[in-house]
Amino acid sequence: MKKIFIADDDAAIVDATSLMLELMGYNVAFTLNGSAILEEIKPIPDLLILDIWLSGIDGRDICRQLKADPVTKNIPILMISASREIKTSAMDSGADDFMAKPFEMQLLLQKIESLIST
């Protein structure tokens, strides 16, 4: 069973996304606390869905830290944000893909499948 970790401070998005992913057969873990991601991300997930604007920390900084660490550098990271104009900076920080919120669950599933299977 593939493990997906969600880091977003919007509880409604985490709840809806977690429920849908669990129904699709994924093992889902999450945090609403941006500053706790680096501690909570263990064991290493098959994919990280990471919000850019987290309480207390910028998701792009977390992405850079994860991609710089030999242990976590290969985790596919799908960054999400309510701001559509931020895609370039998300990709520049090392994200493997980007989605603007709100997003359609079918598109999210397609992106997850693509990122996990590569």
Side-chain angles (χ1 to χ4, degrees), residues 32-44:
L32 300 171
N33 180 357
S35 59
I37 293 171
L38 298 175
E39 292 81 37
E40 294 182 22
I41 200 167
K42 296 173 181 86
I44 302 297

Side-chain angles (χ1 to χ4, degrees), residues 18-92:
S18 295
L19 179 62
M20 191 264 314
L21 292 175
E22 287 170 352
L23 289 172
M24 298 303 296
Y26 292 103
N27 177 4
V28 180
F30 65 88
T31 185
L32 300 171
N33 180 357
S35 59
I37 293 171
L38 298 175
E39 292 81 37
E40 294 182 22
I41 200 167
K42 296 173 181 86
I44 302 297
D46 295 291
L47 175 77
L48 170 61
I49 298 174
L50 178 61
D51 190 16
I52 290 179
W53 304 114
L54 292 163
S55 57
I57 193 161
D58 189 313
R60 292 167 293 192
D61 293 334
I62 293 167
C63 186
R64 284 185 201 94
Q65 289 177 358
L66 291 170
K67 293 297 186 176
D69 186 331
V71 175
T72 57
K73 71 178 183 179
N74 293 321
I75 299 172
I77 298 175
L78 173 60
M79 294 196 84
I80 57 176
S81 177
S83 174
R84 296 177 185 278
E85 293 79 36
I86 208 157
K87 179 179 181 178
T88 301
S89 68
M91 300 305 287
D92 288 347

